[in-house]
Amino acid sequence: MNTTTKRPAVPAGTARVITAAGALATAGSTLLAWTYTSAYPGNLTVYGYPGGLQLLTLTSGLITLALALAALGVKGLRWLAPAGTTKALRLSALAGLGTTWFTVVSIAATLGGLVHLEPGAWVAAVASAVPVAGAFLLPDDTRAPAAARELGSWAEILIIVAAFGAGLYVITYGIDTEYGELFTGYLITVGLTAAALSKSGLIARLNALTAKHRTVTIGAAFAAAAAFPFTQTSDQYTSVAANILIFATVALGLNVVVGLAGLLDLGYVAFLGVGAYAAALVSGSPASPFDVHLPFWAAVLVGATASLVFGVVIGAPTLRLRGDYLAIVTLGFGEIFRIAVNNMDGSSGPNITGGPNGVPNIPDLVILGYDFGQPHVIGGITLGRFANYYLLMLVFTAVVVLVFARANNSRIGRAWVAIREDETAATAMGINTFRLKLMAFALGAALAGLAGTVQAHVSYTVVPEQYLFAGPVPPNSAFLLAAVILGGMGTISGPLLGASLLYLIPAKLQFMQDYQLLLFGAALILLMRFRPEGLIADRRKQLEFHEDTAPPTVPDQKTPDETAGLTKAGA
């Protein structure tokens, strides 16, 4: 006789109440002191005023509370979770638990023991575990995603503007973090919260709104990005943001080659170097052997053209190769470029690039009387040197995004995707694969050269060590490729996000400098296992890697006219 009894399940309503109560307790615990000494950064010793990592725990607790109230059916909050709340609650509760427990452990490890914890830290540790337990007691959501309620155009536009405003605040907070512990907690909170909002369906709902109001979305995105320097009081963090934009723009150019055309280029950073050296040599540097000082627009054309020419010269004899053979050849080109500019010092070769010393003392830009090297007061806010170059690089990023979007949606872009998916089949369809691959290679090289012209002026000096295959400081070829894969190949926002993470994490976590290749390699392995399409994937990649969860519709189904146009593009 079987005497095993089945344990009664906790009612869903009770689990939701437990989750909501735990989230409220987690948020309330941040009003207590977590340690008695200010030796730990962030000043967690004040009662009634959260600071440092406590603010991240407070944010996670409030978001979990909002989702729990939405699960309880509170009117006005169900809009937050059209796809269900269970998975979102679990991830959001884990964000609070992870941030809180990281803080408690970090305090003990930094100050030398648990004795340095105040009772508030113990309350927070216990309270943050309650919503996790409640969320995992909830049954899985089985209902279909709720249809979005029709809103007025003005309300939808306000939601888009508010979303970009919140995004600006979150990004600014991450860049402005002053110490490694806070940035680590920021990564835990933002990463798990973003996943929670994705599972809730809120991000998909926002994406639908941005697709509906594309013009407003583009304007809001550019305005939010342009507002970043005006939130800073010095150039300390604006310099990081300017370099992130350079890295992200180059990664987006590589996305043309790798993400659209499917060409594995391991020497792409050389094209960035060609553009930077070409612009440096004609921008009036005293170290340049050419007595030339072209205006900036002309230097940009020189840098982009030089990179484009190198792309054609290198691509013409090598693009008949495929796969690993092409990767090896492009890797060789990157090393040849670095060695060549290192030897053009007047001793081992002609005196052109200055050899190991590079081209120093590149003058600051002056465009229409606006000196980028001098601070300027705009609207009562002082913009320093890096803020000026950040705004200039933002314009270049917008140009590269426009070029990528136009190319991706054109007949040539569809032909590139066909080549990426199956080059043999594309050839059988009549596509001139060699010509189109050469076009992708040349376009990607030109976009990298475009960014290189600004990089040369931002860094003042161009040296060969900046253009390695894998080095301690991005951008380099390995990190550029990792940014494209991590963010999501073939998308616009994916490489921008991937490049931002890969630049910002080593800049904020100095202890990772000696282990970054190991850690990023492990991160890529985990990414390939759990999300092979990247952090931000296009619809085709999602269907390719997750066929079991794909909707019963076939995306990008081509009409006969589009098929004829695809063939015409490769003719």
Side-chain angles (χ1 to χ4, degrees):
M1 181 176 179
N2 187 6
T3 59
T4 303
T5 59
K6 184 178 180 180
R7 186 181 61 173
V10 176
T14 303
R16 294 188 182 100
V17 171
I18 292 173
T19 305
L24 184 61
T26 301
S29 68
T30 61
L31 301 177
L32 305 175
W34 288 10
T35 181
Y36 62 85
T37 173
S38 59
Y40 189 82
N43 194 11
L44 310 183
T45 64
V46 181
Y47 281 87
Y49 188 81
L53 283 157
Q54 287 177 324
L55 291 172
L56 299 176
T57 296
L58 175 62
T59 302
S60 297
L62 293 178
I63 293 175
T64 305
L65 178 61
L67 290 172
L69 293 177
L72 288 169
V74 175
K75 188 176 180 180
L77 290 177
R78 298 193 65 179
W79 196 88
L80 297 175
T85 56
T86 300
K87 292 182 179 179
L89 274 173
R90 292 170 181 171
L91 290 168
S92 181
L94 285 173
L97 178 71
T99 305
T100 304
W101 279 69
F102 165 76
T103 306
V104 171
V105 172
S106 178
I107 292 173
T110 302
L111 302 182
L114 298 176
V115 68
H116 296 281
L117 296 175
E118 283 282 278
W122 296 104
V123 171
V126 174
S128 63
V130 174
V132 175
F136 277 90
L137 289 174
L138 288 171
D140 292 334
D141 292 309
T142 56
R143 64 183 177 89
R149 189 181 66 180
E150 287 293 332
L151 300 174
S153 296
W154 63 270
E156 293 176 344
I157 291 174
L158 285 178
I159 291 173
I160 293 173
V161 173
F164 277 103
L168 171 63
Y169 178 80
V170 171
I171 293 172
T172 301
Y173 188 92
I175 294 177
D176 291 353
T177 49
E178 299 177 352
Y179 47 93
E181 294 86 351
L182 182 59
F183 184 73
T184 303
Y186 167 82
L187 289 179
I188 296 172
T189 302
V190 172
L192 289 173
T193 301
L197 296 180
S198 177
K199 291 296 184 181
S200 72
L202 180 61
I203 293 180
R205 177 164 285 181
L206 291 176
N207 288 338
L209 293 181
T210 57
K212 182 178 179 180
H213 302 279
R214 189 172 298 275
T215 303
V216 174
T217 300
I218 294 173
F222 188 82
F228 171 79
F230 296 92
T231 65
Q232 305 297 301
T233 57
S234 68
D235 259 357
Q236 179 181 1
Y237 299 118
T238 313
S239 61
V240 176
N243 283 287
I244 286 176
L245 273 185
I246 294 174
F247 188 17
T249 303
V250 180
L252 193 57
L254 177 60
N255 198 26
V256 175
V257 181
V258 177
L260 294 184
L263 306 174
L264 184 56
D265 188 350
L266 298 182
Y268 186 76
V269 74
F271 296 122
L272 175 70
V274 170
Y277 267 101
L281 292 174
V282 298
S283 294
S285 171
S288 173
F290 309 107
D291 189 16
V292 179
H293 191 175
L294 298 179
F296 178 63
W297 64 267
V300 168
L301 291 178
V302 169
T305 303
S307 295
L308 187 148
V309 170
F310 268 82
V312 173
V313 170
I314 298 301
T318 61
L319 288 178
R320 300 186 186 279
L321 301 174
R322 297 187 188 183
D324 298 340
Y325 300 101
L326 176 63
I328 293 172
V329 170
T330 55
L331 175 62
F333 163 66
E335 290 301 301
I336 289 171
F337 166 78
R338 183 181 60 83
I339 294 172
V341 296
N342 198 49
N343 289 335
M344 293 181 183
D345 56 356
S347 175
S348 302
N351 184 19
I352 298 178
T353 63
N357 296 324
V359 182
N361 301 321
I362 302 171
D364 281 307
L365 296 174
V366 179
I367 301 176
L368 299 176
Y370 189 94
D371 190 343
F372 282 71
Q374 299 296 325
H376 299 272
V377 179
I378 299 177
I381 299 176
T382 302
L383 298 181
R385 177 178 182 272
F386 286 106
N388 296 328
Y389 280 109
Y390 170 87
L391 293 175
L392 177 64
M393 195 62 223
L394 182 62
V395 175
F396 276 70
T397 304
V399 171
V400 174
V401 168
L402 178 62
V403 171
F404 182 90
R406 290 290 187 179
N408 187 26
N409 295 324
S410 67
R411 292 177 176 179
I412 292 176
R414 290 182 177 274
W416 282 338
V417 172
I419 294 172
R420 182 192 70 193
E421 298 299 326
D422 194 327
E423 185 172 346
T424 303
T427 304
M429 291 175 61
I431 295 177
N432 189 334
T433 56
F434 173 75
R435 184 173 72 90
L436 286 170
K437 288 195 296 183
L438 187 61
M439 289 176 62
F441 213 70
L443 178 60
L447 295 179
L450 201 69
T453 60
V454 180
Q455 187 207 31
H457 291 87
V458 171
S459 60
Y460 278 132
T461 302
V462 180
V463 293
E465 284 72 20
Q466 292 175 320
Y467 310 105
L468 301 171
F469 168 71
V473 180
N476 52 63
S477 292
F479 274 31
L480 286 170
L481 185 61
V484 174
I485 297 173
L486 173 67
M489 294 190 297
T491 64
I492 293 177
S493 53
L496 298 180
L497 174 62
S500 300
L501 290 175
L502 290 182
Y503 189 94
L504 193 58
I505 291 175
K508 291 295 183 179
L509 303 179
Q510 297 295 328
F511 70 91
M512 289 182 57
Q513 291 290 342
D514 296 333
Y515 308 101
Q516 54 184 323
L517 288 178
L518 173 64
L519 295 175
F520 287 143
L524 286 176
I525 292 174
L526 293 175
L527 186 74
M528 292 299 101
R529 170 61 182 85
F530 296 104
R531 194 171 175 84
E533 70 272 23
L535 296 177
I536 300 177
D538 61 5
R539 188 167 51 180
R540 182 183 293 107
K541 287 291 184 183
Q542 285 182 321
L543 294 175
E544 178 181 346
F545 290 109
H546 302 283
E547 294 180 356
D548 54 334
T549 58
T553 56
V554 180
D556 298 335
Q557 189 171 6
K558 299 179 179 61
T559 63
D561 290 339
E562 290 176 325
T563 305
L566 181 65
T567 306
K568 182 178 179 181

